[in-house]
Amino acid sequence: MPTVGGFKFRAYGDVRAVEAQLEVARELYNTLRWADLYFYNIYGIRLSRNDLRELALQLRRQDEDFKMLYSQVGLGLVDVFTSEYF
């Protein structure tokens, strides 16, 4: 499996499928960043790793676009995000 940005992706014949997954992963990462900054600005606290993981799983359950990601990718994005700040 090729590694892109630290994440492994299955090689598909359709490059657009991989690009779509990367776009959704980028959107999920930005959503997690926004949520953490929102809580920090409003309440003065940062979200914990568990809170961010739960948020990623909830977003994946509710949003059709996020459902295309494997749950391990979403949780991996949380790990990348929290490693920057914790």
Side-chain angles (χ1 to χ4, degrees):
M1 285 187 196
T3 301
V4 178
F7 294 104
K8 292 183 180 179
F9 288 90
R10 291 191 174 103
Y12 294 104
D14 187 11
V15 174
R16 282 177 259 148
V18 175
E19 288 175 349
Q21 283 186 339
L22 288 173
E23 179 64 33
V24 171
R26 187 172 31 245
E27 186 176 333
L28 178 60
Y29 179 83
N30 288 336
T31 302
L32 294 173
R33 283 189 65 188
W34 177 87
D36 188 52
L37 288 174
Y38 176 81
F39 272 86
Y40 183 75
N41 289 332
I42 299 297
Y43 302 110
I45 59 170
R46 298 199 91 99
L47 293 175
S48 70
R49 176 180 265 174
N50 289 335
D51 292 335
L52 290 168
R53 283 175 165 248
E54 184 63 33
L55 178 60
L57 291 174
Q58 286 177 1
L59 288 170
R60 193 171 163 270
R61 284 186 210 123
Q62 295 172 359
D63 194 309
E64 288 296 320
D65 290 337
F66 292 146
K67 285 183 182 179
M68 81 167 41
L69 289 177
Y70 293 106
S71 61
Q72 293 88 354
V73 174
L75 297 178
L77 287 171
V78 170
D79 292 339
V80 169
F81 178 74
T82 55
S83 69
E84 293 177 3
Y85 295 103
F86 296 108

